[in-house]
Every structure is written in structure tokens, then in C-alpha cells.
Amino acid sequence: MDTLILSRIQFALNISFHILFPVISIAMAWVLLFFRAQFTRTHNIAWEQAYNRGVKWFALTFALGVVSGVTMSFQFGTNWPGFMEKAGDIAGPLLGYEVMTAFFLEASFLGIMLYGKDRVSNRVHLFASFMVAFGTSMSAFWILALNSWMQTPAGYEVLANGKIIATDWMAIIFNPSFPHRLAHKLLASFITVGFLIAGLSAWRFLAGRGDVAATKMIQTGIVLLTFALPLQVFVGDQHGLNTLQHQPAKVAAMEGLWHTEKGAPLVAFAIPDPATQSNKYAIEIPRAASLILTHSLDGEIKGLNEFAEQPNVPMVFYSFRVMVGMGFLMLAVSWFSIYYWRKHRDISLWPRWMLRLLQAMTFSGWVATLAGWYVTETGRQPWLIYGVLKTADTVAPHPQSVVAGSLTMYVLLYVVLLAAYISVMRYLALKNDH
């Protein structure tokens, strides 16, 4: 592998590890605010126990998100100096806004949220919890504004020396794909947290430590999933239509469409072969892709043959199917869960297979999130800023051995950290509350 490929793999590894934690902390902060508000309203001690249990999960997740985010930001300087040299006038301020309006906000109120429950009034503690939740969402706002601009750039000008400068900040922030991407990611966070709190609480019941707080957390999780998952299907469809308009090559790779067609079939499964520009062993549903993407059975969809530069089709194709497949599995599990909840509000009466199913789905949100992220980022290639700046033009000319060595160290470190994180989360879920 050359330096470009190794650097791309290293950055993908760093951002894949990092994204695992914000996708939990964003929605978890709002769920904790809900638990605290419910205790304030009802004075039911089970809601406070749910809050006390969940806040430990949040603190651990938030800490790893901050640390891994710092590591990821170093990559811009060490591996991709051309990005900031060319687009720093836009990327720098957006990242700076994230620090000033989101990170500082979270840092200012996080201490009160975590340790001030018995030291400040309930009203102040509720306010601090709200500000932390608001800060996590603002962080997502600015990061996704930058990422969306890299996908669908607007409000910029390229100077003669290749430097990219801003001409309209509102157009940069609210670029064409930003509203869809932000909604999609926030819903993904709530879905991830819905399964996380339900799954970790199911572990308690399976271990014989089920209590009213765990029941409240399972109920909160499955009700959250009942609303968020169908909404995500709709938002995902709208996001796909937006991508078809602005990044048609990505959609062609997602669908495995090599040639422009009217009434294009939906390729349920195949083995894409870039060498022959065809699919092997394809299982297709006639005209379904045109119906989904153009809302017409005879709608035309551009194929990959229309584009001189193509993304890694197998990577995009398979990642998209993992994301969609996991999404429908989540939907089915949420339906089973809501059925048993309506039948038995006492979780201890649920069959053990249902609890084991929730347990198995605890971190399922990570799978869907990573698969979707790979579709988004791999499908943009070979562009770093779509249609403006190529990835190959920004990579640092390090020797292959240097990048390979640091990549190996990152892999080993992240495997250990991820195993430790899951183990500690399980321990916190099962331990007795104090």
C-alpha cells in the first residue's frame, strides 16, 4: 500500500473510533435530562436511580470522546497538511466555532451536572444538565456543517494559488446536504442510545439484578426507538434524494448501478466487479431503485459509466447494505420490544430470549453508524472537498513505513481501549447503586 492509502486507512481508523462516543453522548445527555426532569416532576426515586446510573455511562463515554477527538485532530497536521493549507480559511473557523460554542459550554456545566446534584439547587442542576445536552448538539452542528460542506461545497471561491476562501458563510454552514445530514446523525444518536440503555438494563435483568430503575430505562429506550426509527427511515430517504442530486456517483455506487438506466432495478445483493463494470450473482428487484430514488417506475438513474472518477464501489455497496440491513433489524427488534412492553409492563415477566435479544443489540447503533459513515466518506472519493480538492493532493509525503508503524500502534491501542470501555460499561450496568 502506498502512503495515500495507508494515511486514509489511519484517518478512517481514528475517526471510526472517535465517532463511537459522540454518537452516544449527544443523545445520552438529553435522555439524562429527561430522567432528571421526570424525578423532579414525580419524585419517584426510580427516575433518580436511572439518572445516577446513566450519568456514569455518559461520563465515561464523554471522556473517551474528548480524548479520541484530540487525537483525530492531530491527523490534519501530521497526515493531511494540504487540507488546512488549501481550505483552512473555512475549516479553521468552523472547528473554532465548535470549540467556543459547544466544547466550552459542555466543559463549563459538566462538573455541575456530574458532581453538583447534592451541592446546588435542583433548578440549577436541571439547567446545567440542559446546557450540557445543548452543548453536545451544538458540537454536532458545527462538525456536521464542516463535513457537509466538504460533501456539497457552497459559498466559496478558489484563488489562483489554489487556496479556498469564504464568500458567503451562511451558504457554507447551511450547504445543500447539511439539514439532511444533521437530522440523520441526531436521529442515529437517539437510536444508538435507545438500544444502549435498553440493552445494558436487560443485562441487569438477565443477571438477576433487575429493578424499577432498569425497567424505567428499558421503557424509555424502546419508546424512543418506536418514534425515532420510522422517522429515520423517512429522513434517510430524503437524504438519499439529496445525495442523488448533488453526488450521483455516490448513489450509483450505493446501488451498484454501472450503467445509466430508466426503470433501474434495486440490487438487493451482488458481488460488484470494478474490473468488468458489472455485478456478479445479482439478486434484483425490477424497477425498485428508480421507484425509491425518483419516485417513478421509469425514472432515470445515472450509472457509474457516466463518471470518469469512481469511488471504491464494493466498499460503498456493502457498507450501504450493512447500514440498511441493521436499520431494519433494529426496527423489527423495536416492534417486538414495544409488543412485550404493552403486554407486560413488568420486565421480569418478559421471556429471557427477548431480554437476550435486547442485550445482543446493545451496541448495534455502532454498526449502523459506522456503515453509514463509510458510505458517506468512501463514496466521496477521490475528492476530499467534492469537485474542488482531491484527497491525493493533500496527503503528507511520509515514508510508507512511518505511516504503517503508527497505524499498527493505533490499531493495538484502540482494540484495548474499546475492550476496556465495553467491560467497564457492563460493570457499571450490573453494579449495585450507592
Side-chain angles (χ1 to χ4, degrees), residues 21 36 38 101 118 136 139 176 206 222 237 253 259 296 310 331 348 393 424:
F21 307 108
R36 193 65 185 159
Q38 284 293 88
T101 65
D118 300 321
T136 61
S139 181
L206 290 168
I222 62 178
D237 175 67
H259 305 284
S296 169
Q310 300 174 0
L331 192 61
S348 63
D393 296 332
V424 174

Short mmCIF file of all heavy atoms in Angstrom, two decimals, residues 21 36 38 101 118 136 139 176 206 222 237 253 259 296 310 331 348 393 424:
data_model
loop_
_atom_site.label_atom_id
_atom_site.label_comp_id
_atom_site.label_asym_id
_atom_site.label_seq_id
_atom_site.Cartn_x
_atom_site.Cartn_y
_atom_site.Cartn_z
N PHE A 21 -18.21 7.42 20.29
CA PHE A 21 -18.54 8.05 21.57
C PHE A 21 -19.45 9.26 21.44
O PHE A 21 -20.44 9.37 22.19
CB PHE A 21 -17.24 8.36 22.32
CG PHE A 21 -16.36 7.14 22.44
CD1 PHE A 21 -15.19 7.02 21.70
CD2 PHE A 21 -16.74 6.08 23.24
CE1 PHE A 21 -14.41 5.89 21.76
CE2 PHE A 21 -15.96 4.93 23.34
CZ PHE A 21 -14.80 4.83 22.58
N ARG A 36 -33.88 13.28 34.84
CA ARG A 36 -33.85 14.25 35.95
C ARG A 36 -35.16 15.04 36.02
O ARG A 36 -35.68 15.31 37.11
CB ARG A 36 -32.66 15.20 35.75
CG ARG A 36 -32.33 16.05 36.96
CD ARG A 36 -31.86 15.19 38.11
NE ARG A 36 -31.66 16.00 39.32
CZ ARG A 36 -31.66 15.52 40.54
NH1 ARG A 36 -31.83 14.23 40.73
NH2 ARG A 36 -31.46 16.31 41.58
N GLN A 38 -38.08 13.99 35.01
CA GLN A 38 -39.12 13.07 35.49
C GLN A 38 -39.07 12.92 37.01
O GLN A 38 -40.11 12.87 37.69
CB GLN A 38 -38.97 11.71 34.83
CG GLN A 38 -39.45 11.65 33.38
CD GLN A 38 -40.94 11.82 33.27
OE1 GLN A 38 -41.46 12.94 33.18
NE2 GLN A 38 -41.66 10.72 33.31
N THR A 101 -18.37 27.49 21.09
CA THR A 101 -19.81 27.48 21.41
C THR A 101 -20.29 26.15 21.97
O THR A 101 -21.36 26.10 22.57
CB THR A 101 -20.65 27.81 20.16
OG1 THR A 101 -20.47 26.76 19.18
CG2 THR A 101 -20.24 29.12 19.55
N ASP A 118 -26.03 17.24 44.65
CA ASP A 118 -26.30 17.45 46.07
C ASP A 118 -25.68 18.74 46.60
O ASP A 118 -25.71 18.99 47.81
CB ASP A 118 -25.76 16.26 46.88
CG ASP A 118 -26.41 14.95 46.47
OD1 ASP A 118 -27.63 14.96 46.20
OD2 ASP A 118 -25.70 13.92 46.40
N THR A 136 -23.67 19.38 23.52
CA THR A 136 -23.35 18.22 22.69
C THR A 136 -24.00 18.34 21.32
O THR A 136 -23.40 17.97 20.30
CB THR A 136 -23.81 16.91 23.36
OG1 THR A 136 -25.23 16.94 23.55
CG2 THR A 136 -23.12 16.71 24.70
N SER A 139 -22.12 20.87 19.24
CA SER A 139 -20.89 20.28 18.72
C SER A 139 -21.18 19.51 17.44
O SER A 139 -20.46 19.65 16.44
CB SER A 139 -20.28 19.34 19.77
OG SER A 139 -19.08 18.78 19.29
N PRO A 176 -26.16 22.55 0.87
CA PRO A 176 -27.32 21.75 0.45
C PRO A 176 -27.55 20.45 1.21
O PRO A 176 -28.69 20.03 1.38
CB PRO A 176 -27.01 21.47 -1.03
CG PRO A 176 -26.19 22.63 -1.48
CD PRO A 176 -25.34 22.98 -0.29
N LEU A 206 -31.11 -10.09 33.25
CA LEU A 206 -30.56 -11.42 32.98
C LEU A 206 -29.62 -11.87 34.09
O LEU A 206 -29.45 -13.07 34.32
CB LEU A 206 -29.83 -11.42 31.63
CG LEU A 206 -30.73 -11.30 30.39
CD1 LEU A 206 -29.90 -11.02 29.15
CD2 LEU A 206 -31.54 -12.57 30.21
N ILE A 222 -37.15 1.79 24.53
CA ILE A 222 -37.98 1.24 23.46
C ILE A 222 -39.01 2.26 22.96
O ILE A 222 -39.36 2.25 21.77
CB ILE A 222 -38.66 -0.07 23.90
CG1 ILE A 222 -39.59 0.14 25.08
CG2 ILE A 222 -37.62 -1.13 24.20
CD1 ILE A 222 -40.31 -1.13 25.51
N ASP A 237 -34.52 8.53 3.49
CA ASP A 237 -35.00 8.62 2.11
C ASP A 237 -34.75 10.02 1.54
O ASP A 237 -34.29 10.17 0.41
CB ASP A 237 -36.49 8.29 2.06
CG ASP A 237 -37.08 8.47 0.66
OD1 ASP A 237 -36.71 7.70 -0.24
OD2 ASP A 237 -37.91 9.39 0.48
N ALA A 253 -22.83 4.06 -6.86
CA ALA A 253 -22.03 3.06 -6.16
C ALA A 253 -22.85 2.37 -5.07
O ALA A 253 -22.74 1.14 -4.88
CB ALA A 253 -20.79 3.71 -5.55
N HIS A 259 -24.41 1.24 -15.26
CA HIS A 259 -24.82 1.89 -16.49
C HIS A 259 -26.11 2.67 -16.26
O HIS A 259 -26.97 2.23 -15.49
CB HIS A 259 -25.02 0.87 -17.61
CG HIS A 259 -23.82 0.01 -17.85
ND1 HIS A 259 -22.69 0.48 -18.51
CD2 HIS A 259 -23.54 -1.27 -17.49
CE1 HIS A 259 -21.79 -0.49 -18.56
NE2 HIS A 259 -22.28 -1.56 -17.95
N SER A 296 -40.60 7.20 -9.35
CA SER A 296 -41.23 6.84 -10.62
C SER A 296 -40.65 5.50 -11.08
O SER A 296 -39.43 5.29 -11.01
CB SER A 296 -40.97 7.91 -11.69
OG SER A 296 -41.35 7.45 -12.97
N GLN A 310 -14.43 7.20 -10.13
CA GLN A 310 -15.40 6.44 -9.35
C GLN A 310 -14.86 6.14 -7.96
O GLN A 310 -13.66 5.95 -7.78
CB GLN A 310 -15.72 5.12 -10.07
CG GLN A 310 -16.31 5.29 -11.46
CD GLN A 310 -16.47 3.96 -12.18
OE1 GLN A 310 -16.15 2.90 -11.65
NE2 GLN A 310 -16.98 4.02 -13.41
N LEU A 331 -35.50 -2.02 13.59
CA LEU A 331 -36.94 -1.75 13.53
C LEU A 331 -37.73 -2.96 14.01
O LEU A 331 -38.68 -2.83 14.80
CB LEU A 331 -37.33 -1.38 12.10
CG LEU A 331 -38.73 -0.80 11.89
CD1 LEU A 331 -38.91 0.51 12.67
CD2 LEU A 331 -38.98 -0.56 10.40
N SER A 348 -39.69 -8.20 34.29
CA SER A 348 -39.29 -9.53 34.79
C SER A 348 -40.18 -10.63 34.23
O SER A 348 -39.80 -11.81 34.28
CB SER A 348 -39.34 -9.55 36.32
OG SER A 348 -40.67 -9.33 36.79
N ASP A 393 -4.08 15.21 -3.25
CA ASP A 393 -3.34 16.48 -3.29
C ASP A 393 -3.08 17.07 -1.91
O ASP A 393 -2.49 18.14 -1.80
CB ASP A 393 -4.11 17.50 -4.14
CG ASP A 393 -4.23 17.07 -5.59
OD1 ASP A 393 -3.34 16.34 -6.06
OD2 ASP A 393 -5.22 17.46 -6.26
N VAL A 424 -16.11 -1.94 31.16
CA VAL A 424 -16.49 -1.01 32.23
C VAL A 424 -17.96 -0.65 32.14
O VAL A 424 -18.65 -0.54 33.17
CB VAL A 424 -15.60 0.25 32.19
CG1 VAL A 424 -16.08 1.29 33.20
CG2 VAL A 424 -14.15 -0.11 32.47
#
